[in-house]
Amino acid sequence: MANVTEIWVDADAVDFKFEGRGYSVSGIVNHQCHKESCGIGSYEYQGAKESDDSYEYVSEFKEATYEKVILADDAGNELDRIGELFEKAKEAMWEATKENAEQQAWDV
């Protein structure tokens, strides 16, 4: 895809639940923000050709990468970063930082 902007965002102490238990995760999320058209394109209005070329930046979970991740249970005990729990932790980090990354992409 064209128009990709790489944005790094700190995810600091993101709380989430997995299988009924509370956890916290911190780290850095690398978002690959793609510039996508959200306008209606060219059209004709009262005999004149018009254009709405609006764009937005979009980050997708499957393209994000993570660094310096610390995963802990609700008692503060550090846990291994493996399996379904780690996948849920990455999803929580991505959700917590997605909007910030998409906004920052406009400033690059």
Side-chain angles (χ1 to χ4, degrees):
M1 288 183 168
N3 297 319
V4 176
T5 302
E6 184 175 68
I7 303 291
W8 294 88
V9 182
D10 288 332
D12 190 27
V14 176
D15 295 325
F16 68 99
K17 294 242 184 241
F18 180 72
E19 295 181 349
R21 297 185 57 202
Y23 297 91
S24 180
V25 63
S26 298
I28 301 170
V29 183
N30 175 9
H31 292 265
Q32 301 295 313
C33 295
H34 300 273
K35 190 174 185 180
E36 295 184 359
S37 175
C38 61
I40 60 174
S42 297
Y43 58 95
E44 193 169 312
Y45 178 71
Q46 294 183 348
K49 290 197 179 216
E50 301 285 335
S51 179
D52 177 10
D53 292 331
S54 299
Y55 293 91
E56 65 183 1
Y57 280 96
V58 177
S59 172
E60 303 224 5
F61 174 69
K62 65 183 177 186
E63 297 176 342
T65 58
Y66 306 84
E67 290 189 10
K68 301 181 182 178
V69 177
I70 299 172
L71 177 60
D73 61 18
D74 57 0
N77 300 312
E78 195 168 329
L79 304 170
D80 290 335
R81 297 178 303 272
I82 57 173
E84 289 180 47
L85 176 59
F86 185 48
E87 289 303 310
K88 182 69 174 176
K90 291 190 298 186
E91 184 179 329
M93 291 172 63
W94 179 80
E95 285 287 345
T97 59
K98 174 184 178 287
E99 189 173 313
N100 187 343
E102 290 171 349
Q103 285 295 322
Q104 285 185 44
W106 285 107
D107 298 331
V108 175

